[in-house]
Amino acid sequence: MLRKAKILTWLVGLTLLCATCLTLAFAGMMQTYATGEVSVETVTVTGYDVNKTTYGTRYSGLYEIKVDLGVPLGGNSYGIMDGDEAQRAVQDYILINGVSVREINSTVDDSDYLYLTFPGSESDIYAVPVLLHVPDGATYIKLMLHCDYISTLYGKMEITVKNGLSYNTGTDIVKYIGEDVTYKFLAGSWYKSDEVPTEFTEIKSTDGLIFEDIIGDGNYRFAVPIDQLIGATVGGFHVTEPGKTWNYMQNYLIINGQSVSSINTAVDDSTYDYSKGNWVLSWASSDPASGYCQPVFVQVDGKNLYFNLPKEYYESSFGKAIILEILPGFGWEDASGNIYMNSERIVVTRILDTNGNSAVATATQPDGIDVTEGYFGIQEADNGTEVYFDLYFSHNIMLEAHYTGGLNFDYVGDIWSKYVFIDGQPISSPAFAGKVRVELASGTTFDNMKMIRIYVDKSLSLTGTSILLKEKTPFSSGELLSSDFEMNFNAAAGEDTAGNAVIGWTNGTTELSVGEVYGVCVKSGNSVEPMKAKYAITYVTGGGVNDADNPEYYVEGEIVTFAPASGKEGYDFVNWTCKGEVIAATTAETVGALELTAVWEMAEGAKFASLSLNGDIGINIYVYIKNISEVDELTANDGKIKGVKTVRDGTEYFVFTVGVAAKDYETPVSISVDGYDITSTYSVSDYIAAFTEEDEGYELVSALAKYCEAAKVLFDDELASEAKDDESLALSVEDEAALGGFAAVVSGTDDTVSLVGATLVLESETSIYIYFMAEGDISTATFKVDDAEVIPEAVAGYDGYYVIKIENISAKDLDKEFTVNIGGIIVQYSALSYVNKTLSGTYEAAIGNVCKALYAYNKQANIFFTK
Amino acid sequence: MKKYKEPVLTFNRTECDIILASINPGDSIYENETPLVPIE
């Protein structure tokens, strides 16, 4: 115990010690060498490999690590331990697991240890320093470590050579220059820490445990297969076996939360020595009354790591899980001295049934199966020599449950013989020998049911018999029967249709009448009414969500009312159908499995919207309303917007077209259908953004987008002031020439009126406003637009000013020329006349962009509508 | 947002007369209306 405490102290100490090292300066530096010139190798020296006559015991159990600098370190052979401070300082530059050798050695009194008196493994490792030694003529520094000390480092061995390492050869100073370099010892080789092959950094066992049966008189073994154990040798882990590196690995192996080391500490294992061959034999002399009186023996053999458990310890785990853990850092050694390690915690779980049988290979927590929740039918039949009972289960799991060794009836029978009791005796009992057997079958008498068949010889009377399934009956799914389940049979409870005796059965507490509720036993081929079967119900929700209350099964004769499905966005549930017929509930006559399909109808509301491509700017919002086929038109927004019925893809919609001023194309517009609780909001820009080059009208929409954006800028003083010419709108020479053809033409004279100018109003469509001044009464004058008389509006606040408005000009008509009579003056003018006039003079960028965009918009509209 | 032109009356002290509001190139009277340009 004391020894172990010291081990732990050391392990903790090594972990916590900082890798800070003193850096000593040496004078007379002459050479420098690159990092790559350092290499590390190991040599294990045992008492068997050296001439003890010559060297005594000092080498026995030593582990040597060579740190080769690739340069001669002098011609002397001596140990650093016994050198002066200049020599000893090398200890600061050699780190084991981040701790300098000087730091390690500071915990021991090394004053007594000269190279030639290094005690080796015969001494307590914690009283032995790490020895550094440079052999005569060598290019390497040799680390000599006690083998048992090495064993504490398995799986986490690192040697670091610090930048600045120098060694006084006695004649020169050789300095190793470069960054720190760390080597890891993995699988028998040293690797630079940044060059470690991935296969050595992680070993996981996912295959679970292999159970090996009892050997001799109570040797229970679990094997953890680990591929990397190729070539590993047999070895023991006895705590008290001295000089074996294996022993310390017990700290990394955990059984049910307790380390093997801890388990074995509580045992006097001094008499158990694997090498003496007394380990297996000793089981027979174990005394169960004294607890875990045998040590846990761990060995590596081939590819398996074996946990050999004392019989008493093993059997104490019956009916529950055995959890084995292999902690990071666990290492093992093969015959060649290669050391393997695992870097991650490996957990393997094995569940034993109450008789110690393997319930599962890798198991989940055994929540248990409540077989009473299943649906059972029992059928008794006579095959001539024996009567059998068929037990039908609705749990699919039950069929699979019995196989731990494959589909083998004998195996099943053997396992189940320990769990199936008839009249209080297991069917494996001598009383039933040759008269009762258990089989599995894929029973199809009832839908979705599986079958356990219990054969009972006719010579046995089962009148008043009970069949008991014991708690923890194992199933290969990993579940165990949560509690005893008993079925009682009562003979002569009735007669079947052929007059044979019928026995009912109960769930162990309530006796049932013939034919009531669940089932009866009848002669094979006969029937008893009602035989209530249990049928599956499946639901096809078509994108919706089924109601949680809708059952997965129904029992024949039961009335099950189906709750509606829900959750399908944009649709309302109508009903369930089964084979094309509406079904709201089962009836007493319903039989067979049911597949219910949800029927949905479109819910009322705004379903989608489109961009108006009629030459205006606006959105068409499609609204679906049920059962108003007689109505052709609706209104929205208190009658301001009309919705006209349209058929699209076979469905009637009301289309509400909402015009938007060009500058407002990014502003969401809303409609609220009058008389209905239906509202919807869309913006033009959303739909512009949704157009792709493949969409018809893409060029028109693109031109529209530029026009709208230019209008938005124009009518925002701040944006307009910062606007710059949009080069993408630049007009070609041909465009400019074409625009010139739209110059306004004015003819005629009239002394009573004078032209002021024209503007465009950029709404959903475009208007031309022509301003003029007139003196006095204009009621006698004639005003026309394309020969239709119009009445000019007086401009409020501007005495003598009037405006003639030409409104609702669509995109393709922006180039349409209107003839406007203003008294005796005739003006031929189009929207492009305004564009031409503006661009002909000096203009600000904002209005220039609008004019160019409007021109492009008109061009694309002409192309689109000509198509 | 755009500020549309409101008619303004001014008083000419020299002439002792009221000058009526006028509409000139660059003016926008109504909402969403572009600046006024001469017709020719």
Side-chain angles (χ1 to χ4, degrees):
Chain A
M1 289 292 288
L2 178 60
R3 186 187 181 95
K4 285 178 181 172
K6 293 181 72 173
I7 290 172
L8 292 174
T9 302
W10 259 71
L11 288 172
V12 171
L14 283 172
T15 303
L16 296 178
L17 280 172
C18 174
T20 304
C21 300
L22 296 174
T23 301
L24 300 180
F26 293 91
M29 291 178 277
M30 296 180 64
Q31 290 180 276
T32 61
Y33 296 92
T35 304
E37 294 180 43
V38 176
S39 64
V40 177
E41 63 175 299
T42 58
V43 177
T44 303
V45 182
T46 71
Y48 302 103
D49 296 329
V50 297
N51 186 332
K52 292 185 177 180
T53 303
T54 304
Y55 296 99
T57 59
R58 70 174 185 271
Y59 276 115
S60 180
L62 279 184
Y63 205 89
E64 292 186 354
I65 302 171
K66 294 178 179 176
V67 178
D68 194 335
L69 304 186
V71 294
L73 297 177
N76 299 318
S77 172
Y78 48 83
I80 293 175
M81 196 67 63
D82 53 345
D84 58 19
E85 175 55 29
Q87 296 176 350
R88 185 183 289 265
V90 175
Q91 296 181 32
D92 294 317
Y93 295 87
I94 305 294
L95 279 58
I96 300 175
N97 285 1
V99 182
S100 72
V101 171
R102 186 193 290 264
E103 195 73 36
I104 293 169
N105 288 348
S106 69
T107 63
V108 300
D109 177 7
D110 63 355
S111 59
D112 293 336
Y113 295 101
L114 298 178
Y115 170 64
L116 293 177
T117 59
F118 194 86
S121 62
E122 296 304 312
S123 299
D124 188 326
I125 62 170
Y126 305 107
V128 178
V130 176
L131 179 71
L132 301 184
H133 172 57
V134 178
D136 186 13
T139 59
Y140 54 83
I141 302 169
K142 188 162 62 178
L143 281 70
M144 303 173 73
L145 290 80
H146 194 297
C147 270
D148 286 348
Y149 173 43
I150 283 290
S151 71
T152 67
L153 304 174
Y154 272 10
K156 49 186 179 181
M157 171 72 99
E158 292 182 1
I159 298 292
T160 300
V161 180
K162 294 283 290 180
N163 175 18
L165 171 65
S166 55
Y167 184 71
N168 189 342
T169 64
T171 56
D172 281 329
I173 299 292
V174 175
K175 183 163 185 179
Y176 167 79
I177 300 275
E179 60 200 37
D180 295 352
V181 56
T182 296
Y183 284 81
K184 293 175 180 286
F185 188 56
L186 300 168
S189 300
W190 287 95
Y191 296 89
K192 276 189 176 177
S193 58
D194 57 354
E195 296 174 356
V196 174
T198 54
E199 60 265 33
F200 296 129
T201 60
E202 182 174 305
I203 295 173
K204 296 177 181 176
S205 175
T206 57
D207 295 334
L209 292 174
I210 297 172
F211 176 70
E212 292 202 353
D213 212 341
I214 300 169
I215 299 173
D217 189 22
N219 177 4
Y220 292 80
R221 299 211 301 177
F222 296 103
V224 181
I226 302 175
D227 283 345
Q228 290 79 359
L229 285 176
I230 298 170
T233 57
V234 176
F237 288 110
H238 290 222
V239 174
T240 55
E241 190 178 9
K244 296 289 186 181
T245 56
W246 310 90
N247 299 349
Y248 302 98
M249 291 303 98
Q250 293 182 115
N251 293 305
Y252 296 90
L253 303 174
I254 311 296
I255 301 176
N256 285 350
Q258 190 177 17
S259 72
V260 172
S261 174
S262 173
I263 293 171
N264 287 351
T265 299
V267 178
D268 176 12
D269 62 355
S270 58
T271 61
Y272 300 102
D273 186 343
Y274 181 80
S275 63
K276 295 176 182 175
N278 70 349
W279 187 78
V280 172
L281 294 176
S282 67
W283 290 112
S285 60
S286 174
D287 178 11
S290 62
Y292 307 147
C293 55
Q294 305 275 341
V296 173
F297 176 69
V298 185
Q299 67 187 117
V300 176
D301 191 358
K303 290 190 176 186
N304 288 322
L305 171 67
Y306 288 106
F307 291 74
N308 297 275
L309 303 183
K311 181 179 179 182
E312 295 75 21
Y313 186 91
Y314 173 75
E315 291 188 344
S316 72
S317 301
F318 284 6
K320 51 192 176 185
I322 289 183
I323 301 172
L324 305 180
E325 296 175 69
I326 305 172
L327 301 183
F330 171 72
W332 56 92
E333 186 177 315
D334 68 13
S336 303
N338 297 323
I339 295 177
Y340 297 81
M341 51 79 75
N342 71 307
S343 59
E344 290 199 352
R345 177 171 173 261
I346 298 172
V347 180
V348 281
T349 303
R350 176 181 182 77
I351 295 180
L352 301 173
D353 65 23
T354 51
N355 289 323
N357 295 308
S358 170
V360 287
T362 54
T364 55
Q365 186 66 26
D367 293 332
I369 303 169
D370 184 354
V371 295
T372 60
E373 291 180 355
Y375 182 75
F376 303 86
I378 299 178
Q379 190 170 33
E380 171 262 353
D382 185 342
N383 65 7
T385 59
E386 56 190 0
V387 178
Y388 64 81
F389 295 84
D390 291 344
L391 312 182
Y392 295 91
F393 293 83
S394 59
H395 286 296
N396 289 333
I397 198 173
M398 300 293 272
L399 180 64
E400 303 168 347
H402 316 279
Y403 311 137
T404 52
L407 183 60
N408 182 318
F409 284 165
D410 290 339
Y411 179 77
V412 170
D414 179 56
I415 292 294
W416 273 67
S417 67
K418 298 174 181 176
Y419 292 96
V420 180
F421 287 68
I422 297 178
D423 289 347
Q425 296 185 71
I427 59 175
S428 58
S429 73
F432 296 140
K435 296 179 180 178
V436 174
R437 60 192 173 90
V438 179
E439 283 188 359
L440 303 177
S442 300
T444 56
T445 302
F446 301 121
D447 289 344
N448 303 306
M449 295 185 182
K450 308 302 178 185
M451 183 168 66
I452 301 167
R453 178 168 289 176
I454 302 172
Y455 285 88
V456 180
D457 194 278
K458 290 177 71 172
S459 64
L460 287 177
S461 170
L462 294 181
T463 300
T465 287
S466 69
I467 292 181
L468 174 68
L469 301 183
K470 288 287 289 180
E471 179 186 7
K472 291 186 170 52
T473 299
F475 304 109
S476 64
S477 64
E479 293 177 285
L480 303 178
L481 191 59
S482 59
S483 59
D484 288 353
F485 179 74
E486 186 170 18
M487 293 165 285
N488 294 315
F489 295 84
N490 297 286
E495 292 183 345
D496 64 15
T497 53
N500 298 310
V502 171
I503 54 175
W505 63 277
T506 75
N507 62 5
T509 56
T510 305
E511 184 175 328
L512 304 175
S513 300
V514 176
E516 182 180 358
V517 184
Y518 287 117
V520 293
C521 304
V522 297
K523 284 284 187 181
S524 177
N526 300 329
S527 63
V528 168
E529 296 296 338
M531 179 67 82
K532 297 180 186 301
K534 187 175 181 181
Y535 300 106
I537 309 171
T538 55
Y539 301 86
V540 180
T541 57
V545 178
N546 194 18
D547 190 285
D549 290 337
N550 284 335
E552 295 181 1
Y553 296 95
Y554 74 99
V555 175
E556 180 184 347
E558 283 185 0
I559 308 299
V560 175
T561 301
F562 301 110
S566 60
K568 184 170 181 176
E569 188 173 352
Y571 288 85
D572 294 331
F573 176 83
V574 179
N575 53 38
W576 291 106
T577 62
C578 182
K579 296 178 181 175
E581 300 291 327
V582 174
I583 182 171
T586 59
T587 69
E589 290 73 37
T590 304
V591 293
L594 301 178
E595 181 179 279
L596 271 57
T597 302
V599 177
W600 303 91
E601 66 176 0
M602 193 184 298
E604 289 187 344
K607 294 301 172 183
F608 52 90
S610 67
L611 193 63
S612 173
L613 290 178
N614 294 325
D616 56 354
I617 306 170
I619 293 175
N620 303 315
I621 299 175
Y622 288 71
V623 174
Y624 174 76
I625 296 173
K626 296 177 187 174
N627 306 321
I628 56 166
S629 57
E630 71 283 0
V631 177
D632 292 326
E633 191 172 287
L634 292 174
T635 60
N637 296 8
D638 298 326
K640 294 174 185 169
I641 304 171
K642 287 182 180 178
V644 181
K645 183 182 286 182
T646 303
V647 176
R648 183 161 169 168
D649 296 333
T651 302
E652 290 183 340
Y653 297 94
F654 290 89
V655 182
F656 295 85
T657 300
V658 186
V660 177
K663 74 174 182 359
D664 296 328
Y665 81 116
E666 291 175 328
T667 305
V669 295
S670 297
I671 64 162
S672 179
V673 181
D674 297 336
Y676 294 89
D677 185 20
I678 297 174
T679 58
S680 181
T681 300
Y682 297 92
S683 74
V684 170
S685 58
D686 289 343
Y687 281 87
I688 289 176
F691 262 77
T692 66
E693 290 187 31
E694 288 73 32
D695 292 329
E696 187 178 2
Y698 173 74
E699 290 79 8
L700 174 61
V701 170
S702 297
L704 169 66
K706 283 191 172 285
Y707 163 53
C708 289
E709 179 63 20
K712 183 187 81 173
V713 172
L714 173 67
F715 294 121
D716 185 302
D717 285 346
E718 188 173 341
L719 292 177
S721 67
E722 298 171 352
K724 299 209 169 15
D725 281 337
D726 186 343
E727 293 182 1
S728 70
L729 293 169
L731 298 178
S732 65
V733 175
E734 293 76 15
D735 289 332
E736 288 178 344
L739 260 182
F742 292 102
V745 177
V746 179
S747 59
T749 58
D750 190 326
D751 293 339
T752 63
V753 299
S754 60
L755 298 177
V756 173
T759 62
L760 299 179
V761 177
L762 310 180
E763 301 285 358
S764 170
E765 295 175 301
T766 306
S767 300
I768 300 171
Y769 284 12
I770 294 179
Y771 290 83
F772 64 93
M773 292 185 69
E775 294 179 1
D777 182 15
I778 63 169
S779 61
T780 58
T782 301
F783 302 95
K784 292 180 181 176
V785 174
D786 286 346
D787 292 332
E789 286 203 18
V790 296
I791 301 174
E793 290 181 22
V795 182
Y798 296 91
D799 275 356
Y801 285 89
Y802 296 88
V803 60
I804 293 175
K805 299 179 177 177
I806 308 170
E807 298 178 311
N808 300 327
I809 304 170
S810 70
K812 68 179 173 53
D813 290 334
L814 292 171
D815 55 359
K816 180 185 175 184
E817 185 178 271
F818 298 92
T819 301
V820 183
N821 295 72
I822 306 171
I825 299 175
I826 303 168
V827 178
Q828 290 173 288
Y829 203 83
S830 69
L832 293 189
S833 301
Y834 177 91
V835 171
N836 176 63
K837 182 64 180 175
T838 300
L839 298 179
S840 299
T842 302
Y843 55 86
E844 294 182 352
I847 184 61
N849 289 339
V850 166
C851 287
K852 293 170 190 171
L854 199 63
Y855 173 71
Y857 180 37
N858 170 249
K859 263 179 70 173
Q860 290 302 331
N862 282 330
I863 294 171
F864 180 78
F865 289 108
T866 300
K867 286 179 183 173
Chain B
M1 292 300 293
K2 185 80 176 177
K3 290 183 175 60
Y4 295 95
K5 181 175 181 180
E6 298 291 341
V8 177
L9 299 180
T10 56
F11 182 76
N12 187 318
R13 293 177 183 275
T14 303
E15 300 294 333
C16 294
D17 197 1
I18 292 175
I19 298 175
L20 296 175
S22 63
I23 298 175
N24 301 302
D27 290 347
S28 296
I29 309 300
Y30 299 96
E31 185 177 8
N32 298 328
E33 187 177 24
T34 59
L36 184 90
V37 295
I39 289 177
E40 286 186 289

